[in-house]
Amino acid sequence: MSEISKKRVLSGIQPSGNLTLGNYLGALKQWVEEQATFDCYFCVVDLHAITVQQDPIELRKKTREVAALYIACGLDPEKVTIFVQSHVSAHSELAWILTCFAPIGWLNRMTQFKDKAAKQQQQDSISSGLLNYPTLMAADILLYQAHAVPVGDDQRQHLEYTRDIAQRFNHIYGETFVIPEVMIPKAGARIMGLDNPLSKMSKSEASDNHAIYLLDEPNRVKKAIMRAVTDSSGEILFSDNPERAGVSNLLTIYQSLSGLSKDETQEHFAGKGYGDLKRGVVDVVNATLDPLQKRYNQIISETGYLDAILANGAEKARERANRTLREVQDKVGFLAAR
Ligand code: TRP
């Protein structure tokens, strides 16, 4: 299939905190599977990260770390475009234009905004950037005329918002943006916290036994999983019962990483106890992380390798993004710069 006829996909992850197994199973693993079929753009969304204050040195470090992890997880820089969001100024520029079409009421209703705002200690320090976050995300997607956006289940609402903004703009100015579809992975879309299986595994959660990070050592993986919350029923079955959420979560992790079906996973653990389940999960997680970490270390230690990929990615991304931006600028009536 030629590049022209391939459908386009775009997604991104924030370089704040450490990437977790949730990021891998909810996003990266699926991206890797898509790279052969779609024309893919994957960015590290540093503009989104600063919606809450970041340490500048740490932000730079995490930006490279996330990009290196994209590759370590199996994205092939020869096939897909990997870039840093702030390297393509069109993201900020389109975000501003879309901000002027974004009803405050729509933004106020966003669950992620309400959650994040509630977590800020001082209400005075909630930035309007946090409120406008979904508009920047819409710009990311619409600039590339992406047909599909692979994201975790928690981003569904932001995708709806993106579609609404795109439709609003198209309605006023005529067909401009492709209306993107959300793409949610089948198994593993939602990996929950090990310490609290009722909330999503998050890279911004501070507590010790909450998440498995992609760069964790085998011993830390083991510790966190062995301490994972279960229940007293003793049953190892997938279940929608909130009281069984911990066991279901461990089963989901096992199933996604082993490639077994739900039934096969349950059969595998039939007649066994929670200790066996946890040990099984530890093994399958470490077997996944070991080769991934080896590739990561190689990428990071090879001077200039990653920077060259990001420079090349930014150039390709700019080319595509600027075409859309110019069309939009023209439609809203900006005087062409000479
Ligand atoms: N909001 C997304 C998240 O928190 C990250 C993101 C930013 C994104 N821009 C995007 C995801 C564009 C997909 C497409 O996970």
Side-chain angles (χ1 to χ4, degrees), residues 192-199 201 207 209-211 222-233 235 241-251 253 274-275 277-278 281:
M192 311 307 281
L194 297 173
D195 60 342
N196 173 9
L198 295 178
S199 80
M201 184 181 283
S207 74
N209 297 311
H210 172 78
K222 187 169 172 193
K223 230 181 180 168
I225 293 172
M226 294 315 284
R227 289 187 188 163
V229 169
T230 52
D231 57 68
S232 56
S233 77
E235 282 181 9
N241 182 344
E243 283 166 21
R244 307 269 176 89
V247 170
S248 275
N249 191 40
L250 292 171
L251 282 172
I253 294 173
Y274 289 162
L277 170 63
K278 286 178 171 178
V281 175

Side-chain angles (χ1 to χ4, degrees), residues 10-12 14 45 48 112 133 137 140-141 149 151 155 158:
L10 176 132
S11 197
Q14 291 191 50
V45 291
H48 279 100
Q112 184 172 301
Y133 179 113
M137 179 162 161
D140 298 341
I141 296 164
V149 183
V151 281
Q155 295 298 312
H158 286 162

Side-chain angles (χ1 to χ4, degrees), residues 245-306:
V247 170
S248 275
N249 191 40
L250 292 171
L251 282 172
T252 301
I253 294 173
Y254 191 90
Q255 187 208 340
S256 316
L257 292 177
S258 65
L260 298 178
S261 70
K262 273 191 170 186
D263 286 344
E264 289 165 344
T265 304
Q266 290 181 159
E267 264 163 46
H268 180 79
F269 290 108
K272 296 186 181 158
Y274 289 162
D276 302 308
L277 170 63
K278 286 178 171 178
R279 276 186 292 276
V281 175
V282 170
D283 288 345
V284 75
V285 169
N286 280 331
T288 305
L289 296 190
D290 178 62
L292 191 156
Q293 293 177 1
K294 286 196 175 110
R295 284 195 296 274
Y296 174 83
N297 290 327
Q298 230 168 10
I299 293 160
I300 283 289
S301 61
E302 199 173 317
T303 326
Y305 173 71
L306 183 63

